[in-house]
Amino acid sequence: MCIYLREDIYRVQHCLYRTFLREPRLYYDVAGKRCNACRNTASKYWKEGLKNEVFFPPQIRLNMYENRKEYIYLIQNDKAYKLFEYYKKYPDLVYISYTSGKFDILLQTSKELDVIPDRTIFSGSRGNYIYPETPLCTYKDALDIMESMIEDQHAPSTIPVEYPKEPPEKGSSHYGWMIYPHVKYNLRTGFTPIVKELHISFDSFYHGLKYLLNISTVLLPYYPLGFQLYSQYFFVFWSDYEEFLCELFGCLPCFVSITKVGDALIMYTSIEKGKRFSEQLFRLCFKMIDVGLIDCFWSSKPVYYWRLDL
């Protein structure tokens, strides 16, 4: 039996993260071979990672098309807690977070609001999500790399927000939307309970899954030290160097989510607690203003959140 040191566990779990991100329903024996580990080792450290919130299961988020859009609203409000409770019951809610910082509420809906809440300071339809692949490194090394990147010269760039027609159907949209609530937050979920509950065949399940994967982006939230050892933040950036910002924050050794809304990038990221990493990251943001890489930025810290399928 192999004795795994802490750095060996980090390596195996990072490899499992990359493997299941690319092929979410891969068997443990195949995943183990790709990570130079046996089936039992791969299974053990994947399950331990889920328990300790090193990983969350591989998931999907819908891509945006001309017939399908989602909207994000950033709201300042002295009674934000009441707004939070109100929109929890909103039928077209995708996600809502009560936050502390520049804005008090981040609201995401699947339909444009008929009435925009008072003191909404920014809003618009979102582009597709961007999930940089998480590197295997320490937080200190990542911040040092980011610091050096800021010193370099960069070409202006813009990430377009486009809403094309939905691509030609692969699989089955009928079965895709049937299984969507069951697989959205866990692509590795067992299909037997789903086919029994929905009274569909195994082939129908896989035809539905094929459809969903064709119109979605796969993500696998990964926090090498465990989710509880990071502080989460929303950042909003206005910049003429959008591709660079995505590359820059992709250096962070934990899950990062990016989407374009209007003329701004909205990022969800995490900062390792302790060691003054928060101060260092914010100082990097201020330095980017000084050197002209960003025009300005906002930040808020999520306190709690809600989605309809909780």
Side-chain angles (χ1 to χ4, degrees):
M1 180 178 176
C2 295
I3 304 297
Y4 276 73
L5 302 175
R6 173 50 55 186
E7 54 266 31
D8 297 322
I9 296 172
Y10 284 148
R11 177 190 59 79
V12 170
Q13 289 186 324
H14 183 263
C15 182
L16 290 172
Y17 149 73
R18 296 181 69 229
T19 301
F20 288 134
L21 177 64
R22 288 167 172 75
E23 297 183 65
R25 296 187 67 81
L26 204 64
Y27 291 115
Y28 286 121
D29 57 343
V30 180
K33 288 179 182 178
R34 295 186 185 178
C35 295
N36 296 316
C38 67
R39 180 193 184 283
N40 288 346
T41 298
S43 173
K44 173 184 177 180
Y45 288 117
W46 173 256
K47 292 175 181 177
E48 279 191 9
L50 290 175
K51 179 181 178 182
N52 297 324
E53 296 184 326
V54 169
F55 324 104
F56 290 83
Q59 307 169 23
I60 52 174
R61 296 294 183 270
L62 295 173
N63 293 334
M64 298 290 96
Y65 299 104
E66 64 178 11
N67 64 327
R68 183 184 308 115
K69 296 180 183 179
E70 292 179 356
Y71 300 85
I72 292 178
Y73 303 84
L74 306 181
I75 306 164
Q76 289 179 337
N77 196 290
D78 293 335
K79 296 184 178 179
Y81 65 95
K82 289 189 175 181
L83 272 182
F84 183 91
E85 294 301 322
Y86 173 79
Y87 280 109
K88 273 175 58 175
K89 303 169 186 175
Y90 186 65
D92 299 313
L93 176 72
V94 174
Y95 173 89
I96 186 171
S97 178
Y98 180 90
T99 65
S100 175
K102 175 66 177 182
F103 48 91
D104 305 303
I105 292 284
L106 185 147
L107 172 65
Q108 186 171 347
T109 62
S110 59
K111 291 183 180 178
E112 195 167 8
L113 296 178
D114 293 328
V115 179
I116 296 180
D118 290 341
R119 298 181 65 191
T120 296
I121 59 175
F122 186 74
S123 64
S125 55
R126 75 165 177 88
N128 290 339
Y129 283 114
I130 300 168
Y131 302 109
E133 187 171 300
T134 305
L136 180 61
C137 66
T138 67
Y139 215 95
K140 180 183 183 302
D141 288 344
L143 290 173
D144 290 343
I145 292 170
M146 293 169 72
E147 183 91 43
S148 66
M149 289 173 67
I150 291 173
E151 301 293 339
D152 296 335
Q153 295 294 317
H154 301 280
S157 59
T158 300
I159 295 174
V161 177
E162 299 172 338
Y163 302 104
K165 291 184 178 180
E166 191 169 309
E169 184 171 310
K170 293 183 180 179
S172 168
S173 60
H174 173 72
Y175 292 116
W177 293 119
M178 285 182 70
I179 70 170
Y180 177 65
H182 301 271
V183 301
K184 179 181 180 181
Y185 294 106
N186 188 356
L187 286 171
R188 288 187 62 78
T189 189
F191 55 69
T192 301
I194 297 174
V195 299
K196 286 183 177 180
E197 179 180 340
L198 299 178
H199 304 289
I200 61 176
S201 67
F202 294 127
D203 284 345
S204 297
F205 173 87
Y206 279 105
H207 285 310
L209 186 62
K210 185 176 182 179
Y211 169 77
L212 291 176
L213 291 175
N214 190 46
I215 62 162
S216 304
T217 300
V218 176
L219 64 145
L220 199 164
Y222 171 59
Y223 303 89
L225 304 179
F227 181 77
Q228 298 300 324
L229 294 181
Y230 298 85
S231 298
Q232 286 66 50
Y233 287 87
F234 291 113
F235 286 97
V236 187
F237 291 103
W238 284 266
S239 172
D240 293 326
Y241 300 86
E242 293 177 346
E243 290 183 1
F244 166 70
L245 284 181
C246 293
E247 180 185 357
L248 184 75
F249 277 81
C251 293
L252 292 176
C254 55
F255 177 68
V256 174
S257 169
I258 306 170
T259 189
K260 178 89 174 280
V261 178
D263 60 349
L265 293 178
I266 298 180
M267 297 191 188
Y268 171 88
T269 190
S270 300
I271 303 176
E272 185 181 329
K273 293 179 179 177
K275 302 178 183 178
R276 304 182 71 176
F277 289 143
S278 294
E279 176 185 341
Q280 191 173 349
L281 184 60
F282 274 84
R283 287 187 181 277
L284 284 175
C285 293
F286 297 136
K287 185 173 182 179
M288 284 195 288
I289 294 177
D290 292 339
V291 300
L293 289 171
I294 61 175
D295 299 322
C296 66
F297 77 97
W298 296 342
S299 66
S300 276
K301 196 175 188 312
V303 179
Y304 50 84
Y305 72 95
W306 177 261
R307 59 178 192 250
L308 285 179
D309 45 8
L310 278 176

